[in-house]
Amino acid sequence: MKTRRDFLQKLAAAGLALPVLSTMAKGSAMPILDTTPYDGPMLRVAIMGLGGYGSRVAEAMQDCKKARITGVISGTPSKIKDWQKKYNIPEKNCYNYSNFDAIKDNPDIDAVYVITPNALHREQVIRVAKAGKHAICEKPMALNAAEAQEMVDACKKANVKLLIGYRMHLEPKTLEIIRLRKEGKFGKILFFQGLSGFRIGDPTQWRLNKQLAGGGSMMDIGIYSVNGARYMVGEEPVWVTAQETKTDPVKFKDGVDETIQFQLGFPSGAVASCLSTYAMNNLDSFFLDGEKGFAELKPATGYGPIEGRTSFGELNFPHVTHQTVQMDEMAEMILNGKQPVVPMDGAEGLKDMKIIDAIYQAAKTGKKVPLSR
């Protein structure tokens, strides 16, 4: 791995200030300012899919200390040219969806961040793994649990890491609530509510295309409440019930869910009541209730700032750019084997896909669906 020694020395010589990131104090979710210049290995990342979220990740990575963009993969030549100029990416590190298998011979790329429509994740991650590169995949990681399992197996076979873009697993206020829950501050957990939704716009976008998205709101915003229920309660659910509502069958065609309410049951007896929708705004909140106290995040999963409070007071941690922290922390996971408080690997993504499969089954049949532990 190359380092940034020369780059840092040049900055120091020029008297320029280094960008610094918030990191986590040991044993706490409280961000502290890390002013130590970094001179270790860099995770060299190719971004696959140069759309809106890919651009957000790329911008955030400009402040990363341990990860940087070294390549791009896109089906749109004009986007590749724009990114080359903006991020100083050489021609030899630019690929399209047909030829990116050639990254296996490119030492400038350690990992590929797959930020494409859901239906493409399985094939693209498997190809990345076969090329011997680590894979980072946006959520949901696949169309269903069967595909997710194939991705996990392919990365294991190739001896590469598979990480999923669960940026909220590194968010300070979220981590503080998890810490308090683990310490028993809320007592026995009784209830979780997760509301995830917004009114979706352009009816022609891929998120409303069954073939590309694999569904509707549940395959996009809904995964936040699925995943959030698990890390907030601290258990794996054992059953699911669900109900689907559709008010606009023209916009939300067959197989594209508009609104799904779902309930989860946990081994301890705790229950979760959640909603996923593409038809309502102002829905981004988590609420956790225990015998001794409560915690609330509202907004809970947006790009920030996240707002939080507990029965013990407000959570007043500084806002940090989620994607910057995510990519630096993922560099640590890939390069140094660091383990996050809440897992971010393919196995974690697979658990969510099994629950989503069960939610769709429950909504279709009207029956309670058991989940294997």
Side-chain angles (χ1 to χ4, degrees):
M1 308 290 173
K2 293 183 179 179
T3 71
R4 294 168 78 181
R5 183 187 303 272
D6 294 339
F7 177 65
L8 293 171
Q9 289 176 343
K10 288 177 182 178
L11 279 180
L16 297 175
L18 280 171
V20 293
L21 292 179
S22 293
T23 59
M24 302 303 164
K26 187 175 182 181
S28 171
M30 182 66 186
I32 60 173
L33 197 62
D34 181 6
T35 58
T36 306
Y38 180 71
D39 193 25
M42 297 286 294
L43 182 71
R44 297 164 297 185
V45 181
I47 302 290
M48 179 185 293
L50 310 184
Y53 192 69
S55 296
R56 181 179 290 272
V57 171
E59 284 297 310
M61 285 184 69
Q62 301 314 294
D63 288 329
C64 282
K65 298 173 72 174
K66 302 174 184 179
R68 64 186 176 94
I69 299 170
T70 58
V72 291
I73 303 169
S74 175
T76 308
S78 60
K79 287 184 179 180
I80 291 177
K81 292 297 182 184
D82 291 342
W83 280 53
Q84 278 189 269
K85 294 177 183 177
K86 189 170 186 178
Y87 300 115
N88 194 29
I89 300 169
E91 185 70 32
K92 67 184 180 64
N93 293 354
C94 299
Y95 303 88
N96 58 47
Y97 296 135
S98 297
N99 68 10
F100 77 83
D101 306 272
I103 61 173
K104 69 179 183 296
D105 299 316
N106 192 332
D108 291 346
I109 296 171
D110 304 313
V112 177
Y113 195 162
V114 177
I115 312 177
T116 55
N118 304 337
L120 306 180
H121 291 176
R122 172 193 164 276
E123 179 194 3
Q124 290 170 342
V125 166
I126 290 174
R127 287 172 65 187
V128 168
K130 288 182 177 179
K133 305 298 182 178
H134 302 290
I136 303 169
C137 184
E138 256 313 303
K139 57 195 181 299
M141 66 181 288
L143 295 183
N144 51 55
E147 285 194 357
Q149 185 66 65
E150 288 185 66
M151 296 159 68
V152 170
D153 293 344
C155 290
K156 183 177 180 180
K157 182 179 180 181
N159 196 30
V160 297
K161 299 281 181 66
L162 171 57
L163 300 177
I164 311 301
Y166 289 118
R167 58 188 169 82
M168 303 314 300
H169 292 196
L170 303 167
E171 196 280 317
K173 294 173 185 177
T174 301
L175 287 174
E176 179 66 2
I177 290 173
I178 292 171
R179 184 185 70 82
L180 292 170
R181 187 255 300 155
K182 286 182 174 180
E183 291 184 356
K185 300 298 186 182
F186 305 124
K188 178 180 170 61
I189 300 301
L190 305 172
F191 175 73
F192 170 79
Q193 182 188 58
L195 304 178
S196 301
F198 62 92
R199 187 181 292 276
I200 199 166
D202 181 8
T204 65
Q205 64 181 280
W206 71 262
R207 288 177 177 83
L208 296 177
N209 182 319
K210 166 71 172 175
Q211 283 65 46
L212 289 176
S217 68
M218 183 56 62
M219 294 298 290
D220 180 20
I221 193 69
I223 196 169
Y224 285 101
S225 280
V226 172
N227 190 248
R230 296 175 48 235
Y231 63 68
M232 293 286 276
V233 174
E235 299 180 58
E236 295 301 328
V238 293
W239 58 259
V240 170
T241 54
Q243 308 80 39
E244 181 178 359
T245 304
K246 186 172 292 190
T247 63
D248 188 349
V250 175
K251 188 172 188 177
F252 303 98
K253 297 178 174 57
D254 186 44
V256 179
D257 48 286
E258 174 185 331
T259 300
I260 292 182
Q261 298 175 76
F262 62 94
Q263 301 77 40
L264 304 173
F266 296 88
S268 66
V271 292
S273 177
C274 303
L275 181 143
S276 167
T277 186
Y278 269 162
M280 292 172 264
N281 286 326
N282 310 308
L283 292 175
D284 181 15
S285 66
F286 286 174
F287 182 82
L288 184 71
D289 195 33
E291 288 183 336
K292 296 181 181 179
F294 72 86
E296 181 179 44
L297 293 171
K298 186 176 183 180
T301 63
Y303 296 140
I306 301 301
E307 299 294 338
R309 67 188 181 105
T310 74
S311 44
F312 315 112
E314 299 289 325
L315 298 175
N316 295 313
F317 298 161
H319 171 63
V320 291
T321 302
H322 298 171
Q323 295 80 6
T324 304
V325 175
Q326 174 192 327
M327 295 310 296
D328 265 343
E329 288 295 297
M330 284 185 164
E332 286 280 355
M333 295 173 208
I334 290 173
L335 299 177
N336 299 319
K338 183 176 181 179
Q339 296 300 311
V341 173
V342 183
M344 300 180 69
D345 57 11
E348 178 77 0
L350 174 59
K351 290 176 181 178
D352 280 343
M353 294 314 307
K354 289 180 178 178
I355 296 170
I356 289 176
D357 284 355
I359 289 171
Y360 279 128
Q361 182 183 348
K364 183 177 181 179
T365 64
K367 297 180 179 179
K368 179 185 285 188
V369 177
L371 291 164
S372 59
R373 294 178 66 184

